[in-house]
Amino acid sequence: SVPLDHGALRDQFPILATQLHGRPLAYLDNAASTQQPREVIQAVSAYHQQYHANIHRGVYELSRNATRMHDYAREVVAHFLHAAEPAECLFTRGTTESINLVAATWGRANLRPGDEIILTELEHHSNIVPWQMVCAETGACIRVIPINDDGELDLAAYHRLLCSRTRLVAVNHVSNALGTVNPVREMIVDAHAVGALALIDGAQWVAHGPTDVQALDADFYAFSGHKLYGPTGIGVLYGKRSLLEAMPPYQGGGDMIERVTFAQTSYAQIPNRFEAGTPHIAGAVGLAAAIDWLEAIGFERVAEHEQGLLKRATERLGNIRGLDIKGTARNKAGVISWVISDPPLGTLDIGMQLDLRSICIRTGHHCCQPLMDRLGVSSTARASFALYNQLAEVERLADALEEIITAVRARVVPTAPNRAAD
Ligand code: PMP
């Protein structure tokens, strides 16, 4: 493929020109949210300025056009996920809502006392708590696949957990806290072999590699627009038609019905059945623009660039005395997590010190408290890379960490290690 013109690519992101504390912004918190290219910002803005109307029931041209834009966005998503048809792609507010939708509808309708849901020690709270809630209602229970010290799933333990009671395996494609890429294709095959379904939390994957829900044979696949160079407040739940059609609705309201009387209501076909109320039309338009933009670049170039950043970050941070990298899986996305134990330096302090140098990273438990418990820390500092990051930003991060550690070593009173407030 044609090499990336990285300067031109960065110029497409207006926010990257920001200066903070007199220094150019080094935005290394992409696992939380990516920034948006001008194409996305302009598509959303054009929608608001020229095309906005409520969709579906308008007899007038403006509403018909807005409806077409919303339909087109669903087609773009379906193509992006390689879904068999757009109707299998539901718009939601994001990964969290997508998973809650499955838990509240499929889960409530299908789980019985004694049924088991298999999660992993790597999960984000949004792929834990909805299952706990539905387990409390139905009497089903949660089993957990442990990780090894590198942050990889223990697949032998997974095989031991799988049994005739397993109804669902819900696993992230990539860990947001450690960057581990999980072998979801094999895990889905194994889940199906015992008659269970598989839900993949793709929040941290979709911006970094191609997704093919049919090749994966995923039953459900969830992601968020704001981690994919798109807007917040929009996300997707892919589900196989046969499953979605058998599921009860999620929310009741306008747009999800076929016929309403006070005595009873019949529901619309998918996808509308799961999209009650006026949707986030501008969000869908922005998400489609983001996908179009990313596909034009191509995942080969995305992966090559991001892996280069990860490799350099791993080399530089790995050479800093007193810094421990958490998560050393062989197959990782562009995420690097660490703690500084010598001198003991709380992650909140690391984050604040880096902020003074205009370097944005995330500190805390990353909504993965069970994983932090497993790692024996309350939090980590995490840098996560996107297509627009530069090697120079990785060097700046590593230089800053060396400087901070040197400064703390020179001080007499050490800073408190990993405070609870992190
Ligand atoms: N799962 C994973 C792996 C994530 O990284 C995130 C976001 N940090 C979520 C789920 C939740 O996504 P959202 O907040 O967009 O709903």
Side-chain angles (χ1 to χ4, degrees):
S1 61
V2 185
L4 210 56
D5 178 351
H6 208 254
L9 184 126
R10 280 181 70 82
D11 287 345
Q12 293 172 27
F13 289 80
I15 202 167
L16 297 181
T18 306
Q19 301 253 336
L20 284 175
H21 315 298
R23 304 277 307 273
L25 191 69
Y27 186 78
L28 302 175
D29 193 17
N30 297 287
S33 260
T34 44
Q35 301 295 349
Q36 296 170 47
R38 202 167 274 116
E39 279 82 344
V40 172
I41 298 166
Q42 281 172 352
V44 173
S45 168
Y47 170 76
H48 286 305
Q49 293 187 49
Q50 298 166 47
Y51 303 108
H52 173 62
N54 207 324
I55 59 172
H56 290 159
R57 285 164 311 281
V59 293
Y60 49 91
E61 179 77 17
L62 198 68
S63 170
R64 282 201 302 274
N65 284 342
T67 303
R68 272 196 282 273
M69 291 171 83
H70 195 253
D71 290 346
Y72 169 75
R74 199 186 305 277
E75 283 165 27
V76 170
V77 167
H79 181 265
F80 179 66
L81 293 179
H82 201 246
E85 49 171 327
E88 294 181 318
C89 301
L90 313 180
F91 284 120
T92 63
R93 285 192 295 128
T95 309
T96 303
E97 190 177 48
S98 296
I99 297 171
N100 274 276
L101 190 160
V102 179
T105 62
W106 176 85
R108 275 198 202 132
N110 291 286
L111 294 171
R112 302 280 172 268
D115 285 350
E116 295 180 359
I117 296 174
I118 297 183
L119 307 178
T120 86
E121 235 168 8
L122 292 171
E123 295 318 305
H124 188 279
H125 295 164
S126 64
N127 200 23
I128 300 174
V129 185
W131 303 116
Q132 287 176 329
M133 290 161 67
V134 73
C135 283
E137 278 182 45
T138 60
C141 64
I142 289 172
R143 311 297 300 271
V144 183
I145 309 172
I147 53 167
N148 64 23
D149 291 339
D150 290 328
E152 294 167 330
L153 295 178
D154 177 345
L155 293 178
Y158 172 48
H159 295 143
R160 285 194 296 274
L161 288 174
L162 281 168
C163 66
S164 60
R165 293 184 300 276
T166 313
R167 290 284 162 271
L168 178 77
V169 176
V171 53
N172 59 36
H173 202 152
V174 174
S175 152
N176 63 306
L178 303 184
T180 313
V181 180
N182 292 316
V184 289
R185 171 77 196 107
E186 294 82 336
M187 294 177 76
I188 292 171
V189 170
D190 296 338
H192 288 166
V194 298
L197 299 181
L199 175 145
I200 308 300
D201 168 354
Q204 297 293 341
W205 169 259
V206 287
H208 308 289
T211 309
D212 184 333
V213 289
Q214 293 186 83
L216 287 174
D217 201 16
D219 297 295
F220 299 105
Y221 197 98
F223 73 89
S224 304
H226 69 98
K227 296 179 196 287
L228 182 67
Y229 306 98
T232 55
I234 186 82
V236 170
L237 173 67
Y238 160 83
K240 285 180 183 165
R241 172 178 275 276
S242 56
L243 293 169
L244 294 178
E245 281 183 335
M247 277 154 51
Y250 180 44
Q251 297 179 326
D255 242 21
M256 54 76 74
I257 58 89
E258 192 178 79
R259 175 81 181 113
V260 179
T261 66
F262 280 110
Q264 63 177 16
T265 291
S266 57
Y267 302 121
Q269 299 298 312
I270 64 165
N272 297 41
R273 183 199 305 197
F274 292 101
E275 295 180 359
T278 302
H280 186 8
I281 309 164
V285 167
L287 174 59
I291 291 173
D292 282 343
W293 176 83
L294 189 57
E295 284 190 326
I297 291 168
F299 278 116
E300 245 172 63
R301 292 195 287 190
V302 172
E304 192 187 331
H305 182 72
E306 292 176 353
Q307 287 296 316
L309 298 173
L310 176 66
K311 184 164 176 279
R312 184 63 182 150
T314 307
E315 273 165 19
R316 284 288 317 261
L317 270 58
N319 280 329
I320 298 178
R321 186 163 60 86
L323 184 152
D324 303 319
I325 295 174
K326 297 289 177 188
T328 46
R330 275 157 298 171
N331 193 1
K332 271 183 69 167
V335 172
I336 183 161
S337 245
W338 70 91
V339 295
I340 296 175
S341 43
D342 176 24
L345 187 52
T347 57
L348 188 61
D349 292 315
I350 301 171
M352 285 172 8
Q353 285 292 329
L354 292 174
D355 176 48
L356 293 173
R357 293 159 176 83
S358 194
I359 300 171
C360 314
I361 62 144
R362 181 133 306 227
T363 64
H365 52 64
H366 316 290
C367 298
C368 294
Q369 285 178 345
L371 174 61
M372 297 296 120
D373 291 345
R374 163 63 175 86
L375 297 173
V377 296
S378 62
S379 69
T380 70
R382 177 191 74 186
S384 50
F385 308 116
L387 193 49
Y388 42 67
N389 289 124
Q390 303 162 298
L391 272 177
E393 292 173 318
V394 174
E395 309 294 356
R396 249 176 85 190
L397 169 70
D399 291 346
L401 289 170
E402 281 172 353
E403 191 185 298
I404 294 163
I405 290 177
T406 306
V408 173
R409 279 211 181 102
R411 252 190 265 149
V412 187
V413 187
T415 321
N418 294 329
R419 320 167 167 171
D422 274 6

